[in-house]
Amino acid sequence: MLVLVLVAIITFFLSRVVPADPAAFLAGQNASEEAVAAIRAEHGLDQPLAEQFLSYAGGLVTGNLGTSIRTRRPVAQDMAQFLPATLELLLVSFTVYVILSLSLAILAVRKPGGAVDGAVRLFTMLGTGIPVFWLGMALQFVFYYKLQWFPLGARFPIREIAPPDVTGFLLIDTLWLGRFDLFLDALRHLVLPTIALATIPMAMIARITRNSMLEVLGSDYIRTARAKGLDNEQIIMRHALRNALVPIVTIMGLQFGTLLGGAVLTETVFAWPGMGRLLFQGIVFRDFPVVQAVVMISAAIVIF
């Protein structure tokens, strides 16, 4: 709770420090002073800063996230629309990077110093240094413009009618309705954003897992296991991996927060209708309530 309170305070005052007037931005260049003043009064921006903060804090206590300056709808309504898309992308990316990072680490430690180990180390070095927005655009160029294998962006084909919103998760909703064709369409739209979002944490976890497993493989009980006649596969999977996972599981959980931060750029590049894109639009249009709400929800997810 203390972290959430601090996040609320910092986000509120940082948004007010920005030298921009959302009312003037929303009214347009040729708007009169009266029109700008009316927008300020409508959203309480003409009140003293202390009163604005008390009103904001009181709304948080009652579950009211405020009203969007741009859309003039309750922010909670926008969050309910955009949050499932982000969670679906995060959960798929998290699953992919956990499975692939552990697989890469296991392949690397089977023969340390070999060709496969060298390739994995090269990937982990490059993967941790590639900016997510550059990787996203590179994937679009190769797999959409050149090969035409995957869609450019969005969450569902534009020319098709999306299935009824049951859970907000397209993969679940399409299977619930028995529409396997729509499920495949939704899955194809997930491929490139998932690769862009999962690559950096996958490279990081693969490197950490490889190093942890190599350290474990030099332990006395591993030499004892080899002396007992266990083959290399049993030693890696039953002994080295299990003991190496103790610190790695903690890091994997923390990396979920990194995925949430990377979702802002990923969703912007791929026009993914999620919280990251909502936050980006909120920043561009100086929509303070939206920015504050997205940061608060993100902080709550990381803490959870």
Side-chain angles (χ1 to χ4, degrees):
M1 290 304 298
L2 177 61
V3 173
L4 289 177
V5 170
L6 291 174
V7 168
I9 294 172
I10 293 171
T11 306
F12 177 85
F13 286 103
L14 277 182
S15 63
R16 298 311 190 274
V17 168
V18 176
D21 186 354
F25 189 86
L26 187 63
Q29 273 187 328
N30 301 320
S32 63
E33 285 294 330
E34 292 79 7
V36 175
I39 294 175
R40 286 200 195 100
E42 179 185 355
H43 295 281
L45 299 174
D46 57 340
Q47 299 174 357
L49 201 59
E51 291 186 21
Q52 291 185 45
F53 178 73
L54 290 176
S55 176
Y56 168 63
L60 286 180
V61 172
T62 59
N64 181 12
L65 298 176
T67 303
S68 170
I69 297 175
R70 182 172 63 94
T71 64
R72 303 191 178 185
R73 295 187 303 180
V75 176
Q77 184 177 338
D78 290 336
M79 294 295 295
Q81 177 183 350
F82 288 97
L83 181 58
T86 294
L87 290 179
E88 184 171 52
L89 178 60
L90 288 179
L91 292 173
V92 172
S93 301
F94 183 78
T95 304
V96 167
Y97 99 70
V98 167
I99 295 174
L100 292 183
S101 61
L102 294 181
S103 301
L104 288 174
I106 292 170
L107 288 174
V109 300
R110 280 179 174 171
K111 192 175 181 182
V116 175
D117 184 29
V120 171
R121 283 187 292 153
L122 178 63
F123 166 75
T124 59
M125 182 180 66
L126 295 176
T128 53
I130 295 178
V132 64
F133 66 88
W134 183 89
L135 179 59
M137 291 187 289
L139 291 171
Q140 288 175 328
F141 179 76
V142 174
F143 292 102
Y144 173 75
Y145 287 111
K146 292 297 184 182
L147 300 177
Q148 295 287 315
W149 286 0
F150 298 106
L152 178 65
R155 196 182 179 198
F156 200 74
I158 298 175
R159 295 182 178 85
E160 295 186 23
I161 300 176
D165 192 352
V166 180
T167 64
F169 295 86
L170 267 180
L171 297 181
I172 297 176
D173 290 347
T174 50
L175 289 178
W176 180 271
L177 297 171
R179 294 295 305 273
F180 194 68
D181 55 331
L182 298 182
F183 172 82
L184 291 178
D185 282 336
L187 194 60
R188 288 181 68 246
H189 281 76
L190 262 170
V191 171
L192 295 186
T194 297
I195 295 174
L197 188 57
T199 296
I200 295 175
M202 179 171 64
M204 187 178 300
I205 294 298
R207 181 173 61 187
I208 295 172
T209 306
R210 171 192 173 276
N211 294 340
S212 297
M213 290 180 68
L214 286 177
E215 185 177 346
V216 170
L217 286 171
S219 303
D220 291 338
Y221 71 90
I222 295 294
R223 285 193 290 270
T224 303
R226 294 188 191 279
K228 287 167 58 179
L230 294 180
D231 59 31
N232 198 44
E233 192 72 23
Q234 288 179 308
I235 291 173
I236 290 175
M237 298 303 295
R238 292 179 55 186
H239 296 283
L241 180 60
R242 287 185 181 182
N243 288 280
L245 280 179
V246 175
I248 294 167
V249 169
T250 303
I251 298 172
M252 285 178 177
L254 295 174
Q255 284 297 311
F256 195 83
T258 304
L259 286 177
L260 194 57
V264 177
L265 293 173
T266 304
E267 291 181 359
T268 302
V269 170
F270 289 97
W272 189 267
M275 279 205 319
R277 194 178 178 201
L278 182 66
L279 175 62
F280 178 78
Q281 292 174 344
I283 294 171
V284 170
F285 291 99
R286 282 74 165 174
D287 199 343
F288 296 156
V290 168
V291 174
Q292 293 163 183
V294 172
V295 173
M296 283 297 296
I297 296 297
S298 302
I301 291 174
V302 172
I303 291 169
F304 177 77

